[in-house]
Amino acid sequence: MSIKSPGLFIAFEGGDGAGKSTQAARLSDALESRGLSVLRTREPGGTPIGEKLRSLVLDHGHGTIDPRTEALMFAAARAAHAGQVIRPALADGTVVITDRYIDSSVAYQGAGRGLGAEGVLSLNEWATEGLHPDLTVLLDVDPSDGRQRRTAGDATEDRLESEPDDFHAAIRHAFLDLAAAAPSSYLVLPANAEVETLAARILERVESLIAASSVPAPLDGETVVGDHP
Ligand code: TYD
């Protein structure tokens, strides 16, 4: 947990095509424009070894990957991310915004691949030494909407995205179950709402968390007036 660190840890979660990256960027811009120190990052990735693991685990070119191997690869990338990037930033009073974290492994490997939530959670507790977000924003997406959104234009699907709709339906339910088990740590929003509406609701919740936290106030002269467009 980041309880004792002065930063704030926010994760965006949801199925593929939920619009997490757009909302993570909006939130990061809004907080930076208020003069706060913000780190925007993603999983798998966020470190050099994490980016290598990302391309190994997402590319179609490596043949079938055993589900436990897959879970361990995501957890290995996450261990580096949590230890080398997220914890030090939180200790410096930074607001860390990650696109995906432990819930993605519980949903995709636990539910989607059938490994079960319990084992995947305990693997990730160990990998991150128990580092959990202060808030998880779950953008809840219907699997067929998600597929339509991510294949718009000529975009191709990665190894996990190209799994059938029932795989993505299991993932959706796993995310919702995690949120229902700890409602005060989640903000669940419908991914098909207007981008502006979603951005405003997320910012409102994060600002109230910042007000109640020990995130350092912006230094004099650092505040930029107004949001980015
Ligand atoms: P993402 O970065 O959201 O994909 P993109 O940037 O291409 O939209 O996530 C990559 C894929 O990895 C996504 O299908 C979800 C999957 N994933 C897992 O299966 N387990 C995990 O622990 C994580 C972090 C991602």
Side-chain angles (χ1 to χ4, degrees), residues 16 20 54 58 74 78 100 104-105 108-109 160-161:
D16 294 286
K20 295 179 306 326
R54 178 184 180 90
L58 296 185
F74 283 114
R78 182 164 302 124
R100 297 194 182 281
S104 281
S105 283
Y108 284 80
Q109 283 65 56
L160 284 129
E161 287 169 338

Side-chain angles (χ1 to χ4, degrees), residues 13-17 20-21 42-45 54 57-58 70-71 73-75 78 99-109 113 120 124 150 156-162 167-168 171 175:
E13 297 280 11
D16 294 286
K20 295 179 306 326
S21 310
R42 69 166 181 182
E43 291 199 355
R54 178 184 180 90
V57 76
L58 296 185
E70 187 178 276
M73 289 168 84
F74 283 114
R78 182 164 302 124
D99 194 334
R100 297 194 182 281
Y101 193 60
I102 295 176
D103 285 12
S104 281
S105 283
V106 176
Y108 284 80
Q109 283 65 56
R113 298 293 191 217
V120 173
N124 281 282
R150 66 184 179 261
T156 52
E157 295 187 306
D158 67 38
R159 214 174 51 80
L160 284 129
E161 287 169 338
S162 59
F167 178 87
H168 291 282
I171 282 160
F175 278 130

